[in-house]
Amino acid sequence: MTIGLLLSYDANHQHVVSISIFVAVLCLSVVSGHCFSQSRWTSESAIAILIGCIAGMGILLFSRGKSSHILMFDAELFFTYLLPPIIFNAGFGMKKKQFFHNFITIMLLGGTGVFISTAIIVAGCWWLFPKIGFNGLGIREYLALGAIFSSTDTVCILHVLSQDQTPRLYSLLFGEGVVNDATAVVFFKVFRKINVSKIGGGVAFHVLWDFLWLFLASTAFGVAIGLLTALTLKTFYFGRHSTNREVALLMLMAYLSYVLAELLTLSVILTVFFCGILMSHYAWYNITEHSRVTTRHILSTLSFIAETFIFLYVGMDVFDIEKWKMIDMSVKKIFGLNFILFILVGLGRAAFVFPLCSLSNFISSDAERSMLTLKHQVIIWWAGLTRGAVSIALAYKQFTISGVTWNPLHSTMITSTISIVLFTNLVLGIFTKPLVSLLTHQTQNNNEQQDTFPKEELILPLLSSDKDSTSSSFVLVRRSLSALMETLVHTIHFYWRKFDDACMRPFFGGLAVPVWEPSE
């Protein structure tokens, strides 16, 4: 009995020590990120990864090569506790006007683009892995790799871009990042349910159907929870307000939407994202000014801590000696494997960014303030090369059990995912700020030219300057399509605002409804 108590005490004591060390490293990362936040050559996410690497190396040396871990990463822990505040804060704090103004382009890049990228990565891995001697993965695992490496992380470049100076570019990257992650996770779930023994011509149809069902059902469920929260705050707290209760209800309802979506096997990212959008549009105006300020700061803080936690662990996981020992490949093959994955990520990204951005320019109205020039498209392509927390979590979910694997092939894929995340955040991150500064500066200097010359010159740079019949016909078709899209968008927006002001806001709350004065 005494021995059992002592062992239990030692285990609890070791757990407390591990948590204390990790919190201390987390504090160091916050301070260091603040000190280097204005640096030209790095970002806060890169700083967190570097500090994680240093901490992992220190723990590995202190344990004499036995372990670099103080906490074990668990994909379920990530999806249950760390991801919800990040996605909800993204939806809650988003500028809705810019998001829905660019909704078609965002859905093209974040939805259709992920499908193209996944197909290229899956086909490339299937064809090239055996050529370097990496065999043994099954069909489901190749499909999972496509979803894992199609998930982007645009946090790094969003810290560089100015939301005021480049509102459309910022909105596109922000919206695409969220929709991209949601789409990749939906594909990942669909792929895990595929019966690989019965793959045939109808599989693509079933995958598309499952994807559309999850996408629409998850969005509708998030909207419903957001409206229910707004109605609850407006009905039960009218004339009697409590900051603690209002903030608690907002956050608990947001988390309830997340866990219920998981229970119903929906897309948790889409659900909590649109729940955040609806809460900011209606419920936000049913609480006091004190509650609004408190909610904003709490959500931003939780999101920041969760992101820093993830990047810290990615850095520490580099020195996970157990995973590296499990790999049964030469250094040359490992390098070749990572090189193939990175090239496929870049090709998959380029295969949809430039064509879909050109399509967006083609169907955009002439009255739109700015088009997606080649410089903008390069920034969008570059931003999407970065891989982050969602890729890591999906890789752990596919290739480990509770963060542990004893399969050499699976260990190789985990370490390759970590290597890609490190390379895209640290190496590519060094060039992100100079690249964005160069391209946006040139774009801003060329604003007068964009306003002076016809926008056809920006959209059709490869066409002859002669006004032949083909060019004229093309421009006429584009103008007709642009006019149709502009009319459609304005019509939908007009009737939605009319319905929103007449029916929704008086019932759920909003700017059109007179609200109480904030308490002093």
Side-chain angles (χ1 to χ4, degrees):
M1 180 68 177
T2 304
I3 295 176
L5 290 175
L6 289 175
L7 291 175
S8 177
Y9 173 79
D10 291 339
N12 292 334
H13 180 71
Q14 185 178 1
H15 187 65
V16 172
V17 171
S18 299
I19 294 178
S20 300
I21 295 174
F22 197 91
V23 172
V25 175
L26 192 62
C27 292
L28 177 63
S29 177
V30 171
V31 175
S32 302
H34 178 73
C35 294
F36 290 95
S37 60
Q38 302 301 321
S39 173
R40 178 181 176 84
W41 302 104
T42 188
S43 63
E44 290 191 53
S45 58
I47 292 296
I49 292 176
L50 285 174
I51 291 179
C53 290
I54 296 172
M57 183 185 298
I59 295 171
L60 185 65
L61 294 175
F62 183 78
S63 64
R64 298 179 180 180
K66 294 181 180 179
S67 176
S68 66
H69 285 289
I70 51 179
L71 291 176
M72 183 63 67
F73 183 86
D74 188 354
E76 298 300 329
L77 172 69
F78 168 81
F79 282 106
T80 305
Y81 299 109
L82 298 180
L83 189 60
I86 297 175
I87 302 301
F88 181 71
N89 182 62
F92 199 83
M94 182 192 68
K95 289 190 174 182
K96 297 181 288 296
K97 183 177 180 179
Q98 279 291 334
F99 178 83
F100 288 104
H101 181 69
N102 300 301
F103 186 76
I104 295 177
T105 307
I106 289 173
M107 295 307 298
L108 281 174
L109 295 174
T112 307
V114 173
F115 181 82
I116 297 173
S117 177
T118 300
I120 290 176
I121 292 173
V122 171
C125 291
W126 182 282
W127 178 48
L128 294 174
F129 278 8
K131 293 184 179 299
I132 63 171
F134 187 73
N135 300 288
L137 294 180
I139 297 177
R140 185 180 285 112
E141 291 165 322
Y142 278 114
L143 292 173
L145 285 178
I148 290 169
F149 289 103
S150 293
S151 173
T152 64
D153 187 353
T154 57
V155 172
C156 179
I157 203 164
L158 288 177
H159 286 309
V160 178
L161 285 175
S162 172
Q163 191 171 4
D164 297 324
Q165 295 180 4
T166 55
R168 189 183 185 210
L169 188 59
Y170 187 96
S171 175
L172 285 176
L173 289 174
F174 178 86
E176 190 223 343
V178 176
V179 177
N180 177 288
D181 286 344
T183 306
V185 173
V186 169
F187 274 133
F188 183 81
K189 287 186 174 183
V190 172
F191 292 155
R192 284 171 66 91
K193 296 189 299 182
I194 287 180
N195 187 352
V196 294
S197 63
K198 297 182 179 180
I199 289 183
V203 171
F205 174 77
H206 288 297
V207 169
L208 180 61
W209 169 255
D210 288 343
F211 168 76
L212 292 175
W213 159 250
L214 281 174
F215 199 94
L216 296 176
S218 303
T219 301
F221 187 69
V223 169
I225 297 296
L227 293 177
L228 177 62
T229 306
L231 183 62
T232 302
L233 286 169
K234 190 173 186 298
T235 303
F236 295 100
Y237 285 89
F238 180 78
R240 183 170 61 89
H241 303 284
S242 168
T243 298
N244 294 337
R245 293 185 179 90
E246 289 172 346
V247 175
L249 185 62
L250 277 174
M251 299 182 67
L252 288 174
M253 289 295 288
Y255 191 69
L256 180 64
S257 72
Y258 188 90
V259 295
L260 285 180
E262 181 66 27
L263 182 65
L264 298 173
T265 65
L266 300 175
S267 170
V268 292
I269 295 179
L270 281 174
T271 297
V272 77
F273 178 69
F274 280 96
C275 179
I277 292 177
L278 268 293
M279 283 189 182
S280 66
H281 189 63
Y282 296 113
W284 177 253
Y285 300 99
N286 296 334
I287 58 178
T288 63
E289 186 67 25
H290 292 300
S291 299
R292 297 178 193 176
V293 174
T294 304
T295 303
R296 180 73 69 197
H297 286 295
I298 288 179
L299 290 177
S300 299
T301 302
L302 291 177
S303 176
F304 174 74
I305 292 175
E307 290 177 357
T308 307
F309 180 97
I310 293 165
F311 286 118
L312 270 179
Y313 189 87
V314 169
M316 295 176 65
D317 212 41
V318 175
F319 296 95
D320 185 2
I321 197 66
E322 295 178 357
K323 290 187 179 66
W324 290 103
K325 285 181 177 179
M326 287 293 300
I327 298 176
D328 189 19
M329 292 179 63
S330 64
V331 176
K332 183 179 179 180
K333 287 185 178 181
I334 294 174
F335 178 81
L337 184 70
N338 294 334
F339 180 76
I340 289 173
L341 286 171
F342 179 72
I343 293 299
L344 289 175
V345 166
L347 289 176
R349 183 78 182 165
F352 73 84
V353 166
F354 298 103
L356 293 182
C357 285
S358 299
L359 176 62
S360 175
N361 285 339
F362 180 76
I363 63 177
S364 296
S365 65
D366 291 327
E368 199 167 9
R369 290 178 299 173
S370 61
M371 309 299 288
L372 291 175
T373 65
L374 182 60
K375 299 183 183 71
H376 292 149
Q377 295 175 32
V378 170
I379 293 176
I380 294 173
W381 172 77
W382 182 271
L385 294 178
T386 307
R387 297 297 176 265
V390 175
S391 295
I392 291 287
L394 293 179
Y396 269 87
K397 196 165 187 175
Q398 176 66 32
F399 297 110
T400 69
I401 300 176
S402 299
V404 178
T405 180
W406 300 105
N407 187 320
L409 295 176
H410 293 175
S411 295
T412 302
M413 297 318 306
I414 291 292
T415 54
S416 294
T417 305
I418 294 172
S419 300
I420 295 296
V421 171
L422 282 174
F423 180 81
T424 54
N425 277 275
L426 297 181
V427 179
L428 299 186
I430 293 176
F431 302 99
T432 297
K433 285 187 179 181
L435 177 69
V436 171
S437 299
L438 176 65
L439 294 179
T440 55
H441 178 69
Q442 290 179 354
T443 302
Q444 290 168 4
N445 288 341
N446 291 333
N447 279 342
E448 295 182 0
Q449 295 181 359
Q450 292 181 11
D451 293 335
T452 303
F453 295 103
K455 289 183 178 179
E456 284 81 3
E457 296 185 9
L458 296 175
I459 305 164
L460 310 174
L462 301 180
L463 293 179
S464 172
S465 59
D466 297 332
K467 295 183 178 180
D468 54 14
S469 59
T470 304
S471 176
S472 299
S473 300
F474 190 87
V475 171
L476 288 174
V477 170
R478 179 191 170 272
R479 285 177 174 172
S480 300
L481 183 58
S482 298
L484 177 63
M485 292 297 298
E486 182 181 2
T487 302
L488 180 63
V489 169
H490 281 295
T491 302
I492 294 175
H493 182 261
F494 172 77
Y495 283 109
W496 161 248
R497 286 299 302 269
K498 192 173 181 179
F499 173 75
D500 193 29
D501 292 338
C503 303
M504 300 294 288
R505 291 184 176 183
F507 191 68
F508 294 103
L511 276 177
V513 181
V515 296
W516 58 85
E517 293 295 328
S519 57
E520 299 295 329

